[in-house]
Amino acid sequence: MSSTDVVSLLENSKELDRVRKEQEEILSEINKLHKKLQTTPEMVEKPGDTSLTRLKVLYTQAKDLSESEASISNLMLSQIDGILPTGPQGQTRRRIEGNEQKRKRVKTESDISRLTPSMRNHLENCANLKGEQVAARVTPRNADKDEWFVVKVIHFDKESKEFEVLDEEPGDDEESNGQRQYKLPMGNIIAFPKSNDPSSAPDFPPGKHVLAVYPGTTALYKATVVQGPRRRKTEDYVLEFDDDEEDGSLPQRTVPFHKVVLLPEGHRQ
């Protein structure tokens, strides 16, 4: 038994732990949405409600994670079978694998090939965000409230499914040289609509809660659409930000359509 065999097995065990943790988070969100639908089933009939769409996305993510868990478990079983001696005690076990480079290549190709087409397509879309500005939640799940900023994608790792992003314009209270780097999971990133492709942008109706860039900043806050129906998707949104009270009322702010995204489920104000 070589040390590289054990190291590879341990790496896969970490990946399995990560997948199971992500499964628990997705299932928790599904259960919350189930309770919400059971309590107020009429909500799905309201204009602009996205509960069923969100539920479909969560079901798809849960299915993909389940398949990933199965593929990693099968891979680990094969690795354990290869490590265990097959002959009498003391007999030298024949090496089944080649060098370390071959082992890593086989592992990567096996992992990717076992993913569903939708998951592979999602990973490719994430990789294509390199150099783009996106909305990023930079606070952990157990924080009291969510903090979202506009950041630039530096890199996306398909194996760890994590983004490396750069906050190019942090607040004045930030330390260092005025820039801050984060490593974030896929669930903490939302891509903005393309400014040159409004056809792909969602059209949020009046009363819809969204996450939008506050004018003159790179921070995102919860806001409500207050204007009437827009004639074109390229028109700006008129929004009221929840934390923007002046003289006892909420002033209306204009925000470009490509700086507005759907408010994530479970957002903590």
Side-chain angles (χ1 to χ4, degrees):
M1 176 179 66
S2 68
S3 60
T4 51
D5 291 328
V6 178
V7 169
S8 180
L9 180 65
L10 292 175
E11 287 178 353
N12 285 329
S13 70
K14 291 180 182 178
E15 176 66 7
L16 187 61
D17 289 342
R18 185 197 65 76
V19 169
R20 285 174 173 168
K21 182 178 180 182
E22 194 170 342
Q23 278 182 310
E24 291 176 1
E25 294 174 350
I26 293 295
L27 290 174
S28 176
E29 290 189 44
I30 289 176
N31 289 336
K32 288 179 182 177
L33 196 50
H34 280 174
K35 290 179 181 178
K36 189 175 179 181
L37 289 170
Q38 289 170 357
T39 306
T40 55
E42 67 278 3
M43 63 186 288
V44 298
E45 299 177 1
K46 295 180 180 179
D49 181 78
T50 59
S51 301
L52 294 181
T53 302
R54 176 61 179 161
L55 196 58
K56 181 179 178 181
V57 171
L58 291 172
Y59 282 156
T60 302
Q61 291 176 336
K63 176 177 175 292
D64 291 339
L65 287 170
S66 178
E67 292 175 353
S68 295
E69 180 188 18
S71 66
I72 295 171
S73 297
N74 289 333
L75 182 61
M76 291 178 67
L77 285 173
S78 299
Q79 288 179 309
I80 293 173
D81 287 339
I83 292 173
L84 290 173
T86 56
Q89 190 167 357
Q91 178 180 340
T92 304
R93 183 176 61 85
R94 179 176 62 89
R95 275 188 77 148
I96 332 176
E97 300 285 358
N99 56 30
E100 184 178 356
Q101 183 177 3
K102 177 184 175 183
R103 197 160 33 243
K104 288 183 178 179
R105 185 178 70 249
V106 170
K107 173 184 179 298
T108 302
E109 290 175 353
S110 174
D111 288 350
I112 294 176
S113 64
R114 291 175 186 273
L115 293 175
T116 62
S118 62
M119 190 60 179
R120 286 200 297 270
N121 184 57
H122 184 50
L123 292 177
E124 285 299 326
N125 289 337
C126 288
N128 290 335
L129 288 175
K130 182 177 180 180
E132 298 281 343
Q133 286 192 327
V134 297
R137 187 181 70 211
V138 299
T139 44
R141 283 187 172 273
N142 58 356
D144 292 333
K145 64 178 182 178
D146 291 332
E147 285 187 296
W148 290 79
F149 297 114
V150 178
V151 299
K152 181 179 180 180
V153 175
I154 302 173
H155 175 69
F156 175 70
D157 190 323
K158 290 184 180 179
E159 290 189 27
S160 66
K161 299 178 179 63
E162 286 186 326
F163 282 92
E164 289 183 32
V165 300
L166 182 67
D167 184 1
E168 298 177 289
E169 299 180 21
D172 295 335
D173 57 339
E174 296 286 351
E175 298 177 355
S176 73
N177 61 356
Q179 294 186 341
R180 191 167 183 177
Q181 196 165 326
Y182 299 92
K183 187 173 285 189
L184 303 170
M186 290 192 298
N188 286 36
I189 299 294
I190 301 177
F192 286 115
K194 298 285 187 182
S195 59
N196 58 355
D197 183 19
S199 62
S200 62
D203 193 9
F204 301 117
K208 189 68 178 175
H209 295 309
V210 296
L211 199 63
V213 180
Y214 190 85
T217 74
T218 56
L220 293 99
Y221 298 98
K222 180 182 176 183
T224 303
V225 179
V226 295
Q227 71 190 49
R230 297 179 306 150
R231 289 170 295 178
R232 297 185 304 275
K233 281 193 172 185
T234 53
E235 288 185 17
D236 294 343
Y237 280 101
V238 178
L239 307 174
E240 287 182 351
F241 287 86
D242 283 14
D243 294 338
D244 194 25
E245 188 172 345
E246 289 183 3
D247 301 325
S249 62
L250 294 176
Q252 296 184 353
R253 309 287 183 184
T254 302
V255 179
F257 78 94
H258 56 90
K259 295 296 182 183
V260 181
V261 295
L262 180 67
L263 183 74
E265 290 286 340
H267 176 75
R268 295 160 298 184
Q269 185 69 17

